[in-house]
Amino acid sequence: MMLKTDIPHIWRSFRQPRVFLFILIGGLVIFLTFLTHNNAIEIIISAVASIFIGIGVNNFSAIETHLKDEKKLQAKLKYTVGIMQVINAKMNRLKNQVKDSSGEMAEIQQLVDVVMHILEEEKHPID
């Protein structure tokens, strides 16, 4: 089931120029081994090709790690905004119950509103 969502995601990451180009160059270089008859030269060509392929795979995993980190951050931001909304609602109830509000509740509520606004600005969709 996860295969249907993973394949487009993997393909999107693979199409990134810093992944695709390095793997393509590595693949093209590896075909140079067919043009040689000397084992030492074939080994050198294969080593150069594996370097390019390794760089492409490393870039691919860097993109994947970045996307996972972004998803974790978005989840934490969503959770934090939810907590701040609960705090804001409870403070509204307390403000209505307390007749002698010295302005401290209003200040605290303004601070909560500022934090919520900052957190909302940090939310952005993941590509």
Side-chain angles (χ1 to χ4, degrees):
M1 285 190 203
M2 285 182 32
L3 196 58
K4 288 182 180 179
T5 59
D6 287 343
I7 289 176
H9 176 71
I10 290 171
W11 179 246
R12 207 173 321 123
S13 297
F14 183 76
R15 287 188 329 203
Q16 296 289 324
R18 62 185 184 185
V19 175
F20 181 72
L21 288 177
F22 278 102
I23 292 177
L24 179 67
I25 290 170
L28 292 175
V29 169
I30 202 78
F31 281 108
L32 292 177
T33 60
F34 294 125
L35 303 176
T36 65
H37 298 290
N38 188 343
N39 285 343
I41 294 175
E42 285 181 18
I43 292 171
I44 292 170
I45 291 172
S46 297
V48 170
S50 68
I51 289 171
F52 280 103
I53 292 171
I55 291 171
V57 170
N58 186 37
N59 289 342
F60 178 79
S61 51
I63 291 170
E64 291 295 308
T65 303
H66 176 71
L67 290 176
K68 286 179 185 176
D69 291 345
E70 280 289 321
K71 285 181 182 179
K72 286 180 185 177
L73 180 63
Q74 291 299 318
K76 287 180 182 180
L77 281 172
K78 184 178 177 182
Y79 182 69
T80 305
V81 167
I83 290 173
M84 295 303 280
Q85 288 172 345
V86 169
I87 290 172
N88 202 9
K90 288 183 183 257
M91 288 181 58
N92 280 336
R93 272 189 263 136
L94 281 174
K95 190 167 71 171
N96 291 337
Q97 290 176 357
V98 176
K99 305 256 192 262
D100 184 26
S101 78
S102 61
E104 287 184 34
M105 289 291 264
E107 290 177 20
I108 292 172
Q109 192 164 6
Q110 284 177 344
L111 291 173
V112 169
D113 289 339
V114 167
V115 171
M116 283 177 50
H117 180 71
I118 291 170
L119 289 173
E120 288 291 334
E121 284 180 353
E122 287 298 317
K123 283 183 160 182
H124 53 83
I126 300 173
D127 295 334

